Amino acid sequence: MSRPRIVIVGAGFAGYRTARTLSRLTRHQADITLLNPTDYFLYLPLLPQVAAGILEPRRVSVSLSGTLPHIRLVLGEADGIDLDGHTVHYTGPEGEEGTLSFDRLVLAAGSVNKLLPIPGVAEHAHGFRGLPEALYLRDHVTRQVELAAAADDRAECAARCTFVVVGAGYTGTEVAAHGAMYTDAQVRKHPMRTGMRPRWMLLDVAPRVMPEMDERLSRTAERVLRQRGVDVRMGTSVKEATHDGVVLTDGSTVDTRTLVWCVGVRPDPLVESLGLPMERGRLLVDPHLQVPGRPELFACGDVAAVPDLYQPGQYTPMTAQHAWRHGKVCAQNVAASLGIGQRRAYRHRDMGFVVDLGGAKAAANPLGVPMSGPAAGAVTRGYHLAAMPGNRVRVAADWLLDAVLPRQAVQLGLVRSWSVPLESSSPEVARVPGRPERPGKDAGAAGQRPDAEDTKNRPGGGPAKNRPGGESATGQPGGESATGQPGGEPAKNQPGGEPAKNQPGGEPAKDQPGGESAGSRSHGGRAKGGQSGSPRASGKPRRAVEAAGPRPARGGSGKPGKPGKAPRASGTGSAGKRPTAPSGPSRSAGPPTDPGPEPPANQPPPGPDIAPGPVKRTDGRAAEGDS
């Protein structure tokens, strides 16, 4: 008799706990598969400390394969579920598609950024839900302070060292508190103009900071923020965002280059495509975390509306504390459905909340006892160490080093603003160019304009649809739109037909994520992010239509002579053999050392943050034209 197949979608607090508990309960009596976009579990509460340079990114990332050794890990994102056929369709990190069959399905996809219909926010703001966003914010804040210190114009200096955070919940409060400490420490090494210092603003339409917490803790957090110079404005939000600043709802204008969006979250739109009863975007389940009428389907975490048995008529809030305990109960009930153990209903009272305000300051109410000051700081860090499923020693070591050594304020250049758009249904994964579009999910994100600061520094000036007229890139012969090129393709239509490596500044640094050529940095390719509020398509994703002529960026299975395909160069280990000329157009139109004609006159010069040099492939093969 075959073993039952269990598929878990998502490895957040709920999904990770479900997988770990199920592995222990079933004892190899079931095949458990965990589908997740990344190979790590992210301990989200410590993310503000990553942005502030206290913790390294790997400290808050717990390896899934290392801590779940008896569970099959599949990297990908679910984009379609066939409940009648008992299959989950997913798209992998490099655009490949796959299907997983299940006898039991656990939906724990978590939550995504919540976007409000405010003009300019999607184009100029950044969220704070994943490691890529935290790393980008750290680099961006560091760069703005350095540029402000070197600026000759006083107004530009003030705008660059002004940072606006929207949302005074847990995340926004911690980001503002840690950010103020980080920039203050940075300006000690980069003196600002006389009488000027970094300015942080915290905005929210709520009447007080962290309205979810006890009023005494709210006052404690606001007092700490104001002592650090944070401009806290309650009852105020953003009316419009532009590249040069924001217009507030009270009519005032703030010149800034930084807008951090921490307004809140919404359930992952994957569950909307199932056509099952919902409660404010969450899938309705019974107290056993099982979907009524679907004995094979379970849901937990932020995507599940779990009845609160202690408050009839209410549902458990979308917090990490509840999601972590959802996972344990869900695993027990899944095992019980297979004849292992007994079912149990979910019952849990809040044990209190902790908010780290940086340094020795915190606000906490463990077991309902309000605390502040160093005592609250000790309780907060102790709680995090106890709650983390791994890396405890490394986290404690980083805290100790931060207490005795100055922070290293340097730009790593790992994440660009265009790769972490605010309208993203996968904030934990940076958008990688060269992936096929998926209808309904990527249609909105694919046409987003990147941050203007990075747009002017990128070769080609951004995606073609943002250029005047919205048509194909001007100056490129053939008149083909950039969005029609297959993702990951070097700029074939550039004059000379050479790969992007021969364009000045047309490639990222060797160690930057993606490793793609500059021609693939169009927003027309597949993105991990999706249009806010649009559910994912329940069917299979549509691959991007390839224009006749260019070959796909990946794959090597194509045979010479087929239209649109070309053989790869054999590389340095091929004894100097050259590939046979294909019947279709070739991108290597000249000798490897021939850079081709000069780039078009309307192509901007290479940006200062892009390292020049030959393209380095990440798959171990040499790019065409390399010797």
Side-chain angles (χ1 to χ4, degrees):
M1 182 178 179
S2 61
R3 298 192 298 180
R5 299 161 299 178
I6 304 173
V7 174
I8 304 171
V9 178
F13 281 92
Y16 181 86
R17 186 77 181 277
T18 300
R20 193 171 72 171
T21 307
L22 264 176
S23 178
R24 176 178 55 84
L25 293 176
T26 58
R27 298 182 180 179
H28 314 295
Q29 299 178 32
D31 292 329
I32 305 174
T33 301
L34 181 60
L35 177 64
N36 196 57
T38 65
D39 64 346
Y40 59 83
F41 159 76
L42 176 64
Y43 190 75
L44 194 61
L46 292 181
L47 203 58
Q49 298 192 23
V50 174
I54 299 174
L55 297 177
E56 291 302 315
R58 288 181 297 177
R59 305 296 185 258
V60 300
S61 309
V62 179
S63 171
L64 296 178
S65 58
T67 56
L68 303 173
H70 304 298
I71 292 179
R72 177 193 175 200
L73 173 64
V74 176
L75 293 180
E77 187 174 1
D79 47 29
I81 298 175
D82 183 359
L83 294 178
D84 295 329
H86 284 209
T87 58
V88 176
H89 186 274
Y90 69 92
T91 302
E94 296 183 350
E96 69 278 10
E97 300 177 11
T99 302
L100 299 174
S101 300
F102 63 84
D103 297 307
R104 298 292 186 273
L105 176 63
V106 179
L107 293 179
S111 55
V112 299
N113 292 318
K114 181 170 65 176
L115 186 62
L116 301 179
I118 300 176
V121 168
E123 294 82 3
H124 303 287
H126 284 88
F128 200 82
R129 289 286 298 168
L131 271 181
E133 293 172 324
L135 291 175
Y136 167 75
L137 182 62
R138 177 177 174 179
D139 271 11
H140 177 78
V141 170
T142 304
R143 179 169 62 251
Q144 295 308 311
V145 173
E146 292 171 347
L147 292 175
D152 295 328
D153 182 59
R154 187 178 183 88
E156 179 184 358
C157 177
R160 290 193 179 278
C161 63
T162 298
F163 309 95
V164 179
V165 180
V166 183
Y170 301 105
T171 302
T173 300
E174 290 186 343
V175 168
H178 282 281
M181 291 186 65
Y182 179 65
T183 52
D184 285 345
Q186 192 175 354
V187 296
R188 297 190 189 106
K189 302 177 182 179
H190 298 276
M192 309 291 289
R193 287 174 170 269
T194 303
M196 298 190 67
R197 58 169 294 184
R199 176 192 181 194
W200 284 79
M201 298 182 63
L202 181 61
L203 312 176
D204 203 311
V205 294
R208 57 187 175 89
V209 174
M210 294 187 301
E212 306 91 347
M213 295 189 69
D214 183 85
E215 189 172 353
R216 289 171 292 182
L217 300 181
S218 176
R219 290 197 300 265
T220 298
E222 183 172 352
R223 182 176 66 252
V224 172
L225 291 173
R226 295 189 183 279
Q227 288 174 351
R228 293 180 183 167
V230 178
D231 185 1
V232 180
R233 299 191 185 183
M234 295 294 97
T236 306
S237 188
V238 173
K239 181 179 180 180
E240 182 182 359
T242 66
H243 172 60
D244 298 322
V246 294
V247 179
L248 305 184
T249 53
D250 59 7
S252 61
T253 301
V254 178
D255 294 333
T256 181
R257 302 292 187 271
T258 307
L259 180 59
V260 187
W261 192 257
C262 302
V263 169
V265 296
R266 63 186 179 91
D268 193 292
L270 172 66
V271 296
E272 298 177 5
S273 63
L274 299 177
L276 296 174
M278 309 286 291
E279 172 64 29
R280 295 186 178 182
R282 295 196 285 174
L283 192 62
L284 276 173
V285 297
D286 60 21
H288 300 92
L289 307 181
Q290 194 169 20
V291 177
R294 288 286 181 177
E296 77 284 0
L297 182 59
F298 296 78
C300 55
D302 290 350
V303 298
V306 181
D308 190 342
L309 299 183
Y310 290 108
Q311 301 181 33
Q314 302 294 322
Y315 298 94
T316 58
M318 297 168 57
T319 63
Q321 182 181 144
H322 280 287
W324 184 252
R325 288 160 178 81
H326 283 177
K328 181 179 179 180
V329 175
C330 184
Q332 293 172 338
N333 292 334
V334 171
S337 70
L338 301 175
I340 304 173
Q342 300 294 325
R343 290 207 314 168
R344 56 170 293 191
Y346 178 76
R347 289 184 175 88
H348 174 69
R349 293 184 183 273
D350 287 334
M351 299 179 63
F353 299 96
V354 294
V355 179
D356 187 1
L357 300 175
K361 301 295 181 66
N365 61 341
L367 302 178
V369 180
M371 303 177 65
S372 61
V379 169
T380 298
R381 296 201 168 185
Y383 170 81
H384 287 316
L385 288 179
M388 289 191 69
N391 298 341
R392 296 186 181 94
V393 175
R394 290 184 172 92
V395 169
D398 276 3
W399 284 341
L400 178 61
L401 291 176
D402 180 70
V404 298
L405 296 176
R407 298 182 192 176
Q408 296 175 303
V410 294
Q411 299 179 52
L412 301 179
L414 298 177
V415 182
R416 297 286 183 260
S417 66
W418 57 266
S419 64
V420 282
L422 179 60
E423 288 184 317
S424 173
S425 58
S426 292
E428 68 276 7
V429 179
R431 284 178 52 186
V432 177
R435 296 176 180 173
E437 271 189 34
R438 287 188 286 171
K441 181 174 186 300
D442 297 329
Q448 290 184 54
R449 188 176 66 82
D451 185 74
E453 175 188 348
D454 285 6
T455 303
K456 63 182 181 181
N457 291 333
R458 284 175 49 212
K465 72 178 294 180
N466 290 327
R467 302 189 183 184
E471 297 296 327
S472 59
T474 57
Q476 290 192 1
E480 295 183 8
S481 171
T483 58
Q485 298 180 7
E489 182 88 23
K492 175 182 182 297
N493 290 329
Q494 299 272 352
E498 290 296 315
K501 74 184 188 71
N502 293 326
Q503 299 292 336
E507 62 280 345
K510 175 181 179 182
D511 293 328
Q512 292 183 6
E516 304 291 343
S517 55
S520 67
R521 292 193 175 189
S522 168
H523 282 254
R526 177 189 178 273
K528 295 295 292 182
Q531 180 79 13
S532 178
S534 61
R536 302 181 183 181
S538 59
K540 291 187 177 181
R542 175 180 58 84
R543 290 190 178 276
V545 180
E546 297 178 354
R551 68 177 177 86
R554 293 185 177 87
S557 58
K559 297 180 181 180
K562 286 189 177 183
K565 305 250 181 176
R568 294 183 181 274
S570 54
T572 56
S574 60
K577 293 182 181 179
R578 298 179 62 84
T580 304
S583 60
S586 172
R587 292 178 298 164
S588 298
T593 56
D594 181 15
E598 294 295 328
N602 64 344
Q603 180 173 335
D609 56 352
I610 301 179
V615 171
K616 300 296 184 182
R617 298 183 61 93
T618 58
D619 55 6
R621 294 188 292 268
E624 287 191 358
D626 290 351
S627 59

